Amino acid sequence: PTAAGAAAAAAIDKRAKKPRKKAVTAKSLGLTKDEFESIKAAPIKRTLKDIVKKLAKQVDEDWHDGYEDQAETKGEWFEAIQEPLQAVLDIGVGKKTALLQCNEVLKIVSDSFYDLLACPCRCDTKDELDEMDSSFELQLPWGETDYTATSGYQQDVWSYVWVALLRVHSNLDNVDEGLLLQCIKDAHDNMSGARMIKLPGYLYDQSDELYDIDTYEQRDGKNTPSGTKLAHYVNDRASEWKSLPTTKKVHRMRRAIDRRFDGTPERRTRDYHLHDSDDDDSYGRGYGYGGGGYGRAQRDCIIS
């Protein structure tokens, strides 16, 4: 055979010998079909994305007067993150499996929040979540206490779950260290806005009489997974995980139009343009009195 033919044959042989990537199934992770479905990324991403799209549509249709509907949608988003976070606690923490899949779920939840913030609502989204004071309970796989997730501390909610997930898998003898270090990098990048939790973090007990939501220095609750090995990975191997690529997306603020004054006439929420007889209408963009809109900056919620 010619040299070219021999090289081609060797390449084919090399591909043939390359082991196939093992498919991840419910059985391979030791899960039931329903458990496996609960940590699938696509349905969770679609559910949260639909809520963000709903908010963006509300802002586009009526930025000024639609603030009440927008607030309801923000509350809907907060309620929607309960189920995926509980699935991570049940499976990634409780059953000590599916680190990759659970890490992806947490990334989706965090990314959805920043996508939500990119909707230029009349009322600041973080402020509204804080003021609505919504909450839900997460059942923790250890102890008898639950974790009360509050809308004002939304970033701490998934950060708490992330710390629990990383602790459990850091303690496993057979953990894929490469994957674990990337998960630590992901957690670090997505915890940047949390008020109370920074890696390696605490799994505090909210029923502890010494617990104080305004105190950043917390302590672990009873029966929590040990954080010693996670602290080792976070602190002693920081140069390794910090050098890994970030997977956190950047969401640019969407454009907003104040349809009282701007946008096409048929979509206006006021009829100012019908009563403006001035020939020089450059301030109102040719459609009547106005000016505003088309901005990217977040507005303060000043209702008038």
Side-chain angles (χ1 to χ4, degrees):
T2 64
I12 293 173
D13 185 57
K14 185 178 180 179
R15 288 197 297 269
K17 291 181 179 179
K18 186 177 181 179
R20 292 184 178 180
K21 191 174 181 180
K22 190 175 181 181
V24 178
T25 63
K27 185 176 181 180
S28 69
L29 294 173
L31 302 174
T32 66
K33 183 178 178 181
D34 287 343
E35 288 172 333
F36 188 55
E37 290 292 325
S38 72
I39 55 171
K40 279 191 173 180
I44 297 170
K45 183 182 293 187
R46 184 165 53 250
T47 295
L48 295 178
K49 187 66 177 179
D50 285 347
I51 297 174
V52 174
K53 286 181 177 179
K54 177 181 177 181
L55 179 62
K57 185 173 183 291
Q58 289 172 333
V59 172
D60 181 61
E61 290 178 343
D62 194 355
W63 169 81
H64 186 270
D65 294 343
Y67 60 89
E68 291 183 340
D69 290 337
Q70 294 163 28
E72 289 182 6
T73 302
K74 294 170 189 178
E76 180 185 347
W77 174 87
F78 181 69
E79 293 173 358
I81 68 174
Q82 178 180 9
E83 189 172 331
L85 292 179
Q86 186 64 61
V88 171
L89 284 169
D90 293 342
I91 294 168
V93 180
K95 295 205 165 188
K96 303 178 181 180
T97 188
L99 172 60
L100 174 63
Q101 291 75 18
C102 289
N103 188 71
E104 287 300 311
V105 170
L106 295 176
K107 284 166 57 180
I108 289 168
V109 170
S110 175
D111 178 72
S112 177
F113 174 68
Y114 291 104
D115 197 11
L116 195 79
L117 294 185
C119 296
C121 304
R122 181 183 176 189
C123 300
D124 183 87
T125 296
K126 285 186 178 181
D127 288 347
E128 278 206 304
L129 287 171
D130 194 2
E131 291 169 7
M132 69 177 60
D133 198 28
S134 296
S135 65
F136 57 76
E137 300 295 317
L138 290 173
Q139 296 178 345
L140 302 176
W142 63 87
E144 299 179 355
T145 60
D146 293 337
Y147 179 89
T148 301
T150 57
S151 56
Y153 284 74
Q154 68 289 130
Q155 289 159 288
D156 286 273
V157 177
W158 60 80
S159 296
Y160 188 96
V161 176
W162 227 320
V163 169
L165 177 70
L166 294 175
R167 279 194 182 193
V168 164
H169 288 269
S170 294
N171 293 335
L172 298 179
D173 293 333
N174 63 343
V175 66
D176 180 338
E177 288 195 335
L179 172 59
L180 179 64
L181 291 172
Q182 181 62 61
C183 292
I184 291 173
K185 170 69 172 177
D186 295 337
H188 170 269
D189 293 350
N190 285 279
M191 286 182 187
S192 59
R195 301 189 194 183
M196 297 175 63
I197 299 181
K198 305 295 179 186
L199 285 177
Y202 292 94
L203 295 178
Y204 45 84
D205 182 354
Q206 293 170 321
S207 65
D208 188 336
E209 61 182 12
L210 297 178
Y211 168 75
D212 183 354
I213 198 169
D214 296 319
T215 301
Y216 283 77
E217 287 296 330
Q218 302 292 337
R219 67 176 186 176
D220 284 339
K222 294 180 181 179
N223 303 318
T224 60
S226 171
T228 303
K229 287 190 176 180
L230 175 59
H232 161 70
Y233 283 110
V234 170
N235 298 321
D236 299 341
R237 301 184 65 174
S239 61
E240 294 179 62
W241 62 260
K242 285 183 178 180
S243 66
L244 295 172
T246 184
T247 60
K248 185 179 178 182
K249 301 176 185 176
V250 176
H251 293 276
R252 294 183 62 192
M253 184 66 71
R254 294 170 174 83
R255 289 187 178 274
I257 299 175
D258 186 348
R259 296 194 182 279
R260 291 176 300 167
F261 311 121
D262 284 315
T264 55
E266 66 272 13
R267 297 187 65 187
R268 295 286 181 86
T269 59
R270 299 287 194 278
D271 63 355
Y272 300 140
H273 60 290
L274 299 178
H275 306 290
D276 190 347
S277 59
D278 293 341
D279 294 329
D280 183 6
D281 194 35
S282 59
Y283 182 64
R285 297 188 184 276
Y287 294 124
Y289 173 76
Y294 295 104
R296 289 185 180 277
Q298 192 93 10
R299 277 84 167 177
D300 292 328
C301 191
I302 302 174
I303 308 304
S304 60

